[in-house]
Amino acid sequence: MNIIESLRWRYATKKFDSNRILPKEKVDILTEAFNLTATSYGLQPLKLVVIKDKELQKKLTQHSWNQQQVADASHVLVFCIENTIGEDYITKYFDNVKVTRNTSEEILKPFKEHLVDSFKGKPSEEISIWATKQVYLAMGNLLTVCAMEEIDACPMEGFIPEKYNEILSLNDLGLSSVLVLPVGYRAKDDMFSDFKKVRRSISDTVITM
């Protein structure tokens, strides 16, 4: 399928085939795509938790408004933000730039100092909102990749982050959950898979100047 056909094929899967499991190579594509997602300043203030433990998925379902997709999906992807984005985090990013691109400290120093100063002046709530926006970028990217790879997915905001944080011990990792994405293969009897996609016309959503 081409990209447009793939996007027409995808839908928010309401019922997964619990007997079908994504092969490792498909999961690897998703994690690689997550890692390649564009983020503000390239700082990647997010992490992805990949859950394949069925008992853990069942436990999380009750904190996902009992949406059965969490229990039945092949894997559940939990998108998280870093709780602390400060000088140490930014310094590690620029250290990685130096190693990866062999860029001198002299060239990187002005921008590095700018970012450090900028983040020092921001309240933690503002930084959290900024990081959360990066998670939505990653979710959108993975939904497109899922469509291209014929992986079914259901993006979710409908869960209790505090419970996910507790059950997955995310606070101990310095993380907070933001979005959930069950992935796998649609069940043959999911009637929603045959519904026509409802969208406004392009003339209603695109303005050309």
Side-chain angles (χ1 to χ4, degrees):
M1 292 190 289
N2 66 35
I3 184 76
I4 298 301
E5 289 174 338
S6 295
L7 292 173
R8 287 174 177 156
W9 170 85
R10 70 148 297 277
Y11 73 111
T13 306
K14 301 300 186 290
K15 187 176 182 181
F16 286 96
D17 184 342
S18 59
N19 294 314
R20 295 189 67 190
I21 303 298
L22 290 174
K24 183 179 182 301
E25 56 266 28
K26 291 287 189 181
V27 179
D28 289 345
I29 288 172
L30 294 181
T31 56
E32 182 75 11
F34 171 83
N35 201 47
L36 289 171
T37 296
T39 60
S40 179
Y41 306 119
L43 286 177
Q44 294 183 281
L46 60 167
K47 284 192 178 180
L48 186 69
V49 177
V50 181
I51 301 171
K52 59 181 180 178
D53 184 310
K54 296 307 169 189
E55 290 304 314
L56 186 54
Q57 288 177 224
K58 290 178 182 177
K59 189 174 182 179
L60 291 171
T61 301
Q62 62 182 310
H63 304 298
S64 312
W65 308 114
N66 293 315
Q67 295 178 87
Q68 195 60 31
Q69 296 100 311
V70 174
D72 292 340
S74 169
H75 294 67
V76 174
L77 311 182
V78 182
F79 294 72
C80 305
I81 59 171
E82 299 273 1
N83 290 336
T84 304
I85 306 292
E87 184 172 357
D88 288 345
Y89 186 93
I90 294 170
T91 297
K92 287 180 181 178
Y93 165 72
F94 280 95
D95 287 344
N96 193 18
V97 174
K98 282 192 288 187
V99 171
T100 304
R101 296 178 175 172
N102 196 29
T103 307
S104 70
E105 176 69 24
E106 182 181 5
I107 292 175
L108 295 174
K109 186 177 180 181
F111 187 40
K112 173 183 173 182
E113 291 182 346
H114 167 72
L115 283 185
V116 169
D117 290 342
S118 176
F119 276 79
K120 276 183 179 178
K122 298 179 189 294
S124 58
E125 182 179 351
E126 182 179 338
I127 294 175
S128 178
I129 292 171
W130 166 80
T132 296
K133 290 178 180 179
Q134 313 314 306
V135 169
Y136 280 86
L137 287 175
M139 170 76 85
N141 187 37
L142 256 63
L143 286 173
T144 300
V145 173
C146 282
M148 292 297 294
E149 293 294 323
E150 294 190 33
I151 298 170
D152 287 297
C154 183
M156 289 184 178
E157 291 180 302
F159 72 106
I160 304 172
E162 294 79 12
K163 288 295 184 181
Y164 268 63
N165 295 346
E166 177 185 338
I167 292 170
L168 301 175
S169 300
L170 295 180
N171 292 327
D172 296 339
L173 299 174
L175 304 172
S176 295
S177 56
V178 175
L179 293 174
V180 175
L181 185 67
V183 294
Y185 297 105
R186 66 189 68 177
K188 290 182 179 179
D189 61 347
D190 186 356
M191 65 180 184
F192 290 91
S193 65
D194 294 324
F195 284 8
K196 288 186 176 181
K197 194 176 292 294
V198 179
R199 293 291 189 274
R200 290 191 287 165
S201 67
I202 291 178
S203 62
D204 283 338
T205 59
V206 177
I207 299 172
T208 302
M209 295 185 179

